[in-house]
Amino acid sequence: MNTDQQFDSGSTARRYEALLRISEMISACTDPEDLAQVLADQLDGVLHFDHLDLLALKENPNEIEWHAWGKGALPLPDEPIEEWPIWQVYNCQEPLHIVDLSRDERFPRLKHWAELAGVACGSVACVPLTTLRRRLGTFSIASHAGGSYSTEDLCFLQLVGRVVAFALDDGLNLRKAEAAQAELRQQNSRLQLLLDLTNRITSNLELREVLRAISANIREVMECDGAAILLPHPVSGNFQMYALDFPSSRGFFKEELLIVPGQNDPAQRALDTLQPVIINTVNAADISRESYETVVAEGLKCHCFIPLANRGRAVGLLVVGRTREGDFTPKDIEFLSQASGQIAIAVENALAFQEISELKEKLSQEKLYLEEEIRSEMNFDEIVGNSAALRQVLELVETVARSDSTVLLLGETGTGKELIARAIHDHSPRKNHTFVKLNCAAIPTGLLESELFGHEKGAFTGAISQKIGRLELADQGTLFLDEVGDVPLEIQPKLLRALQEREFERLGSTRTKKVSVRLVAATNRDLESMIAAREFRSDLYYRLNVFPIRIPPLRERREDIPLLVSYFVQKFAQQMQKRIETIPAAAIRTLTEWDWPGNVRELGNFIERAVILTRGSSLEAPLAELRKLPLDEPTTTAAHRQEEIALIVKETLTALNSQKTEADEHARKQREKIVSVLTESKGRVGGTDGAAARLGLNRTTLLSRMKKLGIDPKQFS
């Protein structure tokens, strides 16, 4: 059989059928290997070959872009591409036919390589892959047996090569278009991220929330496995992981984690140089041992450290990492560097907001402290007065308040013992706990024990539910026992035990309860006389009398009476929605001279009654009531009483007339001024040049005053 007969693989029709099938099938090929396999399958039986390959060159033809075998893969020659037959085909754009490689002298280096590699290759046919626009590469077949491919074979290969070239060109164009679209989508997503960063900078100033959202967006856009923002720890100087987005984390990285930088640490280098640092291979020598073990445990392969800098100053680090191999491209680094500037601004804004909030809170606390100091200077909240006797009491309060010692307040009724007790509590370490008071004189004897200690359900007739006593309510706080001298003798031992042992039992219960209570007791009775009369236990008295404070009656601090009168007038006037601007001097003098047997309580009640009776802006105090004699005093003559009443009436009328004269003079001056301004404005009240504007008043206010003073603006127009 001759050579032509050996390589004659069928009729022309069969070849064109194969070409048609190749044209239909290669459009579905997704990669060069699939294309080469389709060619090998469809040409088998149409042409005789033992090897088939496709080769594409880059735009710089000295470099191979890809190479695919469809049949009989062979190692590529270890020679420069210029020594390969394909180089001649690519450059000359002409088919190449080697009848027998072992006898061909055109490619000696290739023949020598084949001999050394043991590659048995007889005939070779190679055609260019070319379109009207560009050169792509080559398409080759080869057989082991000697002989040659016919001219028809080469022509058919050229047809196949042309179909393959167009398919490759279309595929390359499609891939470039898809790559361009992917790059455009990536650019859009990154631009959207930059826009989102700008919005977050201006819309949210809570640092951790902002950074968490930023980390999540950057991880998604950069197609990374984890993203974190590190800020320098204010105390240690180490890095603190302030925000982390790492969905596949194994739990070794977490927020608040402190990272100690090692020698030549990449994070520290990024901060020092203000330049990105890329780590494609984690080296134990570059970071601390603890950080290295954590990175390895999380499976991270490569990292990128981007300094967060603004105006040449670094405020932190953005770190992105991947658990797969893959370098960060220059475009990645460029984008992250752009984003880092906005993130740095967000960090600085949030830190500034946080600092301002802390300063605001500090100022608020200082304000509260200063207000507390002012109240202290003003004699403890509602304790009004500036007398030496009262100041001495308040000094004792300040002294004892810091301790847990029992305080016994002594003084007449109405002197303000409860206010002093509250002041002791408010200035003690227990001020944040409960202040519980119990008036021992106001509770029936049979119920006082239950009120003090509590009772269980069914402890006595009428005990239909459990009740917590005042002693238990005051646990960790202060218990104020007012009128302690009225505690019945049968209850006094139980009270003494509760104070000494800090424990008690509810009525009807055998369970002992422990309490920590600071006791303040008060009485207006002479406890020592009661002890002598066996009405009060001496041991309880000594337990109460640890730190006695005597509160002076109002008659011993008369200089405080004007302050108290003014305080009560404003208090009750505000409650009754009255406007009282003045207090007659005669009234102040009379109130100061009165002994006030009911002390501050009596004075407060008297002023409340006076405010009720007052119809104008000056206090109308019923001073005549103070001249009424007590029932237990001897009766004086009617003439003497009339003289006293006449004196009070005279003083009151004088004060009222004096105030009236002053009021009339003020009204006269006010009328003259309004008339003068109305004359200048020609009777116009409103407007920019009207009388109201000239006087600095609202138009309605001026009209009200004019009506009160009987002024008609029409008279001046």
Side-chain angles (χ1 to χ4, degrees), residues 489-643:
L489 275 172
E490 62 269 20
I491 300 178
Q492 290 180 20
K494 295 183 179 180
L495 176 60
L496 176 62
R497 173 178 174 263
L499 297 178
Q500 287 181 338
E501 307 298 333
R502 296 179 179 268
E503 62 182 26
F504 68 97
E505 293 86 26
R506 293 177 186 165
L507 291 180
S509 173
T510 58
R511 181 183 175 185
T512 301
K513 288 187 170 293
K514 292 282 187 180
V515 289
S516 174
V517 173
R518 200 270 180 81
L519 178 68
V520 178
T523 184
N524 61 353
R525 304 180 66 178
D526 186 351
L527 295 182
E528 293 183 353
S529 299
M530 293 179 66
I531 292 172
R534 299 182 180 277
E535 295 176 354
F536 201 85
R537 293 177 62 97
S538 59
D539 48 4
L540 178 58
Y541 170 73
Y542 296 131
R543 183 66 185 82
L544 298 175
N545 198 38
V546 176
F547 194 91
I549 298 178
R550 178 183 176 273
I551 302 175
L554 195 53
R555 61 182 176 275
E556 294 182 8
R557 53 185 188 105
R558 295 182 186 275
E559 57 267 44
D560 291 337
I561 292 178
L563 294 176
L564 287 166
V565 170
S566 177
Y567 169 78
F568 284 129
V569 167
Q570 295 303 319
K571 174 182 176 181
F572 295 124
Q574 185 176 8
Q575 291 177 359
M576 301 175 194
Q577 297 182 350
K578 290 188 175 183
R579 186 176 180 180
I580 300 177
E581 299 177 348
T582 59
I583 303 173
I588 289 292
R589 185 167 59 254
T590 302
L591 295 174
T592 303
E593 292 175 352
W594 187 247
D595 283 343
W596 300 107
N599 294 293
V600 179
R601 184 182 293 116
E602 182 186 1
L603 175 62
N605 293 339
F606 179 84
I607 297 300
E608 183 177 6
R609 188 160 60 255
V611 171
I612 294 173
L613 296 173
T614 299
R615 292 177 294 247
S617 60
S618 179
L619 183 69
E620 300 174 9
L623 299 177
E625 294 182 6
L626 301 180
R627 297 296 179 177
K628 293 180 180 179
L629 295 177
L631 296 176
D632 56 348
E633 290 187 3
T635 305
T636 57
T637 63
H640 183 67
R641 290 200 304 271
Q642 289 177 356
E643 289 177 3

Side-chain angles (χ1 to χ4, degrees), residues 106-130:
R106 288 175 294 176
F107 306 101
R109 297 184 64 174
L110 179 63
K111 183 169 65 174
H112 180 67
W113 168 82
E115 292 174 353
L116 293 177
V119 175
C121 187
S123 299
V124 177
C126 181
V127 296
L129 298 176
T130 306

Side-chain angles (χ1 to χ4, degrees), residues 342-394:
Q342 291 181 282
I343 299 173
I345 295 174
V347 172
E348 285 192 329
N349 288 350
L351 288 175
F353 175 75
Q354 182 176 320
E355 184 178 358
I356 291 172
S357 299
E358 290 174 355
L359 288 174
K360 184 178 179 181
E361 180 65 21
K362 182 179 179 183
L363 288 174
S364 176
Q365 294 298 324
E366 289 179 353
K367 179 175 178 289
L368 292 175
Y369 172 76
L370 291 175
E371 288 176 350
E372 189 70 24
E373 288 295 307
I374 291 171
R375 287 197 296 269
S376 178
E377 289 296 323
M378 295 177 65
N379 297 327
F380 297 82
D381 302 316
E382 294 184 357
I383 301 175
V384 179
N386 197 31
S387 63
L390 183 60
R391 282 187 174 275
Q392 183 179 5
V393 170
L394 297 181

Side-chain angles (χ1 to χ4, degrees), residues 55-102:
L55 186 141
L57 298 176
K58 294 183 178 179
E59 293 182 3
N60 176 9
N62 290 336
E63 299 180 18
I64 297 174
E65 184 168 355
W66 54 260
H67 179 245
W69 290 98
K71 183 179 181 181
L74 294 173
L76 292 177
D78 188 15
E79 297 288 343
I81 194 172
E82 293 85 352
E83 300 294 330
W84 298 9
I86 63 169
W87 183 254
Q88 178 180 324
V89 176
Y90 183 85
N91 281 285
C92 299
Q93 291 294 296
E94 294 291 339
L96 174 65
H97 179 213
I98 301 175
V99 177
D100 189 349
L101 181 61
S102 62

Side-chain angles (χ1 to χ4, degrees), residues 305-514:
F305 296 85
I306 305 292
L308 304 177
N310 187 29
R311 298 187 295 271
R313 185 177 70 89
V315 298
L317 281 173
L318 168 65
V319 185
V320 291
R322 291 178 176 143
T323 58
R324 63 188 184 279
E325 300 289 347
D327 298 343
F328 289 94
T329 66
K331 288 187 177 181
D332 293 339
I333 304 304
E334 181 183 1
F335 168 72
L336 289 174
S337 298
Q338 291 176 350
S340 67
Q342 291 181 282
I343 299 173
I345 295 174
V347 172
E348 285 192 329
N349 288 350
L351 288 175
F353 175 75
Q354 182 176 320
E355 184 178 358
I356 291 172
S357 299
E358 290 174 355
L359 288 174
K360 184 178 179 181
E361 180 65 21
K362 182 179 179 183
L363 288 174
S364 176
Q365 294 298 324
E366 289 179 353
K367 179 175 178 289
L368 292 175
Y369 172 76
L370 291 175
E371 288 176 350
E372 189 70 24
E373 288 295 307
I374 291 171
R375 287 197 296 269
S376 178
E377 289 296 323
M378 295 177 65
N379 297 327
F380 297 82
D381 302 316
E382 294 184 357
I383 301 175
V384 179
N386 197 31
S387 63
L390 183 60
R391 282 187 174 275
Q392 183 179 5
V393 170
L394 297 181
E395 288 176 3
L396 293 174
V397 169
E398 283 186 321
T399 301
V400 75
R402 302 184 188 94
S403 69
D404 252 357
S405 300
T406 301
V407 179
L408 179 61
L409 303 178
L410 304 170
E412 298 177 5
T413 182
T415 52
K417 293 187 287 295
E418 183 178 339
L419 288 180
I420 297 296
R422 286 187 178 274
I424 293 173
H425 172 75
D426 291 341
H427 290 76
S428 72
R430 297 173 178 262
K431 62 182 179 181
N432 294 325
H433 297 280
T434 312
F435 176 84
V436 179
K437 64 178 181 177
L438 176 63
N439 191 318
C440 301
I443 307 296
T445 302
L447 297 178
L448 181 59
E449 185 176 2
S450 172
E451 284 293 328
L452 190 57
F453 302 111
H455 64 253
E456 299 292 343
K457 182 179 180 181
F460 52 85
T461 303
I464 59 176
S465 63
Q466 185 188 71
K467 177 181 177 63
I468 297 176
R470 305 292 178 92
L471 191 63
E472 190 172 348
L473 282 175
D475 189 22
Q476 306 302 321
T478 302
L479 175 64
F480 174 52
L481 293 181
D482 197 8
E483 305 297 348
V484 71
D486 291 302
V487 175
L489 275 172
E490 62 269 20
I491 300 178
Q492 290 180 20
K494 295 183 179 180
L495 176 60
L496 176 62
R497 173 178 174 263
L499 297 178
Q500 287 181 338
E501 307 298 333
R502 296 179 179 268
E503 62 182 26
F504 68 97
E505 293 86 26
R506 293 177 186 165
L507 291 180
S509 173
T510 58
R511 181 183 175 185
T512 301
K513 288 187 170 293
K514 292 282 187 180

